[in-house]
Amino acid sequence: MVETLSIGANIFLIVAAIQLDAPSGLRLDWRTRPITPVTLLVGKLGFLTASLLLPSMVADLLHDVIAGVGPGALLPRLLDDHGRAVIMALPIIAMAALTTRLLDAGVLGLAVAVLNAIVLSVMLTLAGQSPDQLDEQVLWPMVPVLAAIVAVGSILVLWLHYVPRREGAARLAFGITALLAAATQAGFILTL
């Protein structure tokens, strides 16, 4: 229960931080906003890193040191655990950048999750598998490929949204990323 609330609070903070001060219009108004959209994004990502990632990393580091984890294992453990957290946060950041309200981001996230669930259900049925029969170890080789697709697609969405400020292209990149992730999962399941 506490972990679920913590995850929900983190997602809310990510969406709120990204949506709070969105880049205005297609041209910069230097009188009211003397900051470039890229600087704005870097500031938001810096805030999220300082408020969400660093405290968790410091706590995990202290915990591992107290538990007697050797120096050679500290950095790989931190990078593995928190690298996954960053990759999981990237699509949330991309969704928040493409929407203007928390509800819109939630609906978009729910739509992507439903698409993913439908694709997985159909592919498992075609492969003659049941979700109960699948072991996490069987699906584990798919995770790095999926993580790379999600990370690259989310970074592309953020770049398109904040650098050349091409909102339509950013939305298209998000949709293609979601479809490519679903297709990757489907292809992997069919090869089982």
Side-chain angles (χ1 to χ4, degrees), residues 117-129 182-183 185-187 189-190:
I118 290 171
V119 167
L120 288 177
S121 296
V122 168
M123 290 301 115
L124 285 170
T125 303
L126 289 175
Q129 299 280 336
Q185 292 176 77
I189 288 172
L190 287 177

Side-chain angles (χ1 to χ4, degrees), residues 82-108:
H82 297 286
R84 278 186 272 154
V86 168
I87 290 173
M88 289 172 37
L90 280 172
I92 297 167
I93 293 169
M95 280 189 287
L98 294 177
T99 57
T100 56
R101 298 179 308 161
L102 180 63
L103 180 63
D104 296 340
V107 168
L108 181 57

Side-chain angles (χ1 to χ4, degrees), residues 3-16:
E3 186 175 346
T4 303
L5 289 174
S6 175
I7 291 171
N10 288 343
I11 290 171
F12 179 79
L13 179 63
I14 290 169
V15 172

Side-chain angles (χ1 to χ4, degrees), residues 150-174:
V150 168
V152 169
S154 298
I155 290 168
L156 178 62
V157 167
L158 291 172
W159 182 81
L160 287 168
H161 183 72
Y162 281 94
V163 178
R165 314 227 14 219
R166 296 184 55 206
E167 187 72 25
R171 290 180 188 280
L172 180 64
F174 185 84

